[in-house]
């Protein structure tokens, strides 16, 4: 069965510093996708970044990068140069082939950026 | 130009009532979903439709019934509401059936008293 684990319920970081949010996953499917979403206090779910299991390079989107370590089954999100507006819940999610793009979510990490 | 829109944003109702949540997407996507986010912020899929056909039906009480009149709309009807149904319900859509990011609506906060 597929599973996503986020072990950090809460994290804090100083403004302008980088922070890594951890995500590990478990699947026996060779083809899968990994996603990160941001949920600010206003409640909407914002897609940040995607990594495919066959992608050779780590995904990057602006200040977001995904540290994909396939052998360790980890897909950590790195946010560089943190901003106050980055304070939010962050969810790691996975889909797998044959799953009709069903996303399985981790429990989330609440990030607080301090000035 | 809202991509995935849900109505209502807030819904407060009493136990035993029947209510509906509507969802529309203007992205031209083929697949739509309903997710439930509980009080601990955990997100769990409930249903998915692809081109009006039900493709995912997780273990959800049959008091919950999705309906997709066309591929741009997916509504959720809930009968005989219970206190435990209180949650935020998210509609989402995507193009294709594999490795595509989901685009979420802003959620409907349902409170059952």
């Amino acid at each position: 069965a597929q599973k996503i684990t986020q072990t950090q319920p809460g994290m804090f970081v100083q403004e302008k510093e980088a922070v890594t949010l951890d995500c590990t996953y478990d699947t026996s499917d060779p083809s899968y996708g990994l996603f990160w979403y941001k949920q600010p206090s206003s409640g909407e779910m914002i897609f940040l970044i995607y990594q495919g299991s066959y992608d050779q390079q780590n995904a990057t989107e602006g200040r977001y990068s995904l540290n994909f370590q396939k052998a360790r089954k980890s897909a950590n999100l790195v946010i560089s140069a943190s901003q106050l507006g980055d304070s939010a819940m962050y969810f790691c999610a996975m889909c797998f082939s044959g799953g009709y793009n069903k996303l399985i979510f981790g429990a989330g990490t609440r990030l607080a950026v301090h000035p | 130009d809202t991509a995935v829109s849900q109505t209502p944003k807030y819904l407060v109702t009493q136990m035993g009532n029947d209510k509906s949540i509507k969802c529309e997407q203007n992205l031209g996507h083929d697949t739509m979903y309903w997710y439930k986010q509980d009080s601990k912020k955990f997100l769990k899929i409930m249903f998915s439709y692809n081109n009006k056909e039900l493709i995912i039906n997780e273990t959800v009480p049959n008091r919950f019934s999705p309906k997709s009149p066309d591929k741009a709309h997916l509504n959720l009807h809930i009968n005989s509401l219970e206190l435990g149904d209180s949650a935020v319900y998210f509609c989402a859509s995507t193009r294709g059936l594999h490795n595509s990011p989901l685009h979420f609506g802003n959620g409907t906060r349902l409170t059952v008293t």
Side-chain angles (χ1 to χ4, degrees):
Chain A
Q2 289 76 14
K3 189 178 176 183
I4 288 276
T5 303
Q6 294 181 254
T7 56
Q8 306 154 313
M11 290 278 288
F12 69 88
V13 65
Q14 289 295 128
E15 198 178 4
K16 297 179 187 168
E17 293 187 350
V19 63
T20 297
L21 306 183
D22 293 344
C23 173
T24 57
Y25 60 91
D26 190 18
T27 181
S28 55
D29 197 319
S31 176
Y32 51 89
L34 296 155
F35 303 79
W36 278 92
Y37 282 82
K38 171 184 178 182
Q39 186 176 40
S41 57
S42 48
E44 69 268 32
M45 293 288 290
I46 302 167
F47 165 68
L48 295 178
I49 196 166
Y50 161 79
Q51 179 87 42
S53 59
Y54 293 121
D55 293 344
Q56 298 294 316
Q57 305 256 11
N58 284 346
T60 60
E61 288 287 347
R63 295 187 298 111
Y64 304 109
S65 59
L66 203 152
N67 184 0
F68 181 45
Q69 298 191 41
K70 196 169 182 176
R72 293 187 180 183
K73 293 189 175 178
S74 74
N76 299 339
L77 177 70
V78 180
I79 305 175
S80 62
S82 296
Q83 300 172 356
L84 296 178
D86 293 335
S87 294
M89 282 286 286
Y90 288 82
F91 293 96
C92 181
M94 178 175 68
C95 70
F96 50 96
S97 65
Y100 297 112
N101 218 47
K102 174 174 80 173
L103 287 192
I104 298 168
F105 283 85
T109 296
R110 184 173 296 280
L111 176 67
V113 180
H114 296 170
Chain B
D1 286 13
T2 306
V4 183
S5 59
Q6 296 178 228
T7 54
K9 188 171 173 62
Y10 300 98
L11 189 51
V12 181
T13 189
Q14 291 185 326
M15 282 174 53
N17 284 348
D18 303 338
K19 289 292 178 187
S20 292
I21 306 171
K22 294 187 175 182
C23 179
E24 176 182 2
Q25 55 93 5
N26 61 6
L27 297 165
H29 288 167
D30 299 325
T31 310
M32 296 183 72
Y33 305 80
W34 279 110
Y35 276 80
K36 178 181 180 180
Q37 186 173 42
D38 63 23
S39 58
K40 291 186 166 63
K41 298 290 190 183
F42 187 68
L43 279 149
K44 193 172 188 327
I45 189 167
M46 301 173 70
F47 302 103
S48 178
Y49 273 75
N50 176 256
N51 278 323
K52 302 193 295 175
E53 181 185 345
L54 181 67
I55 56 171
I56 297 174
N57 186 352
E58 295 289 297
T59 309
V60 175
N62 57 16
R63 298 181 294 103
F64 289 79
S65 54
K67 281 192 173 50
S68 181
D70 55 62
K71 71 176 191 177
H73 295 83
L74 180 61
N75 304 323
L76 183 65
H77 188 75
I78 315 171
N79 289 328
S80 303
L81 278 155
E82 299 177 357
L83 293 176
D85 297 332
S86 295
V88 179
Y89 292 84
F90 283 98
C91 177
S93 71
T94 191
R95 184 184 306 279
L97 288 175
H98 187 53
N99 286 354
S100 305
L102 269 58
H103 297 257
F104 283 84
N106 287 341
T108 295
R109 182 175 293 279
L110 172 65
T111 304
V112 183
T113 61

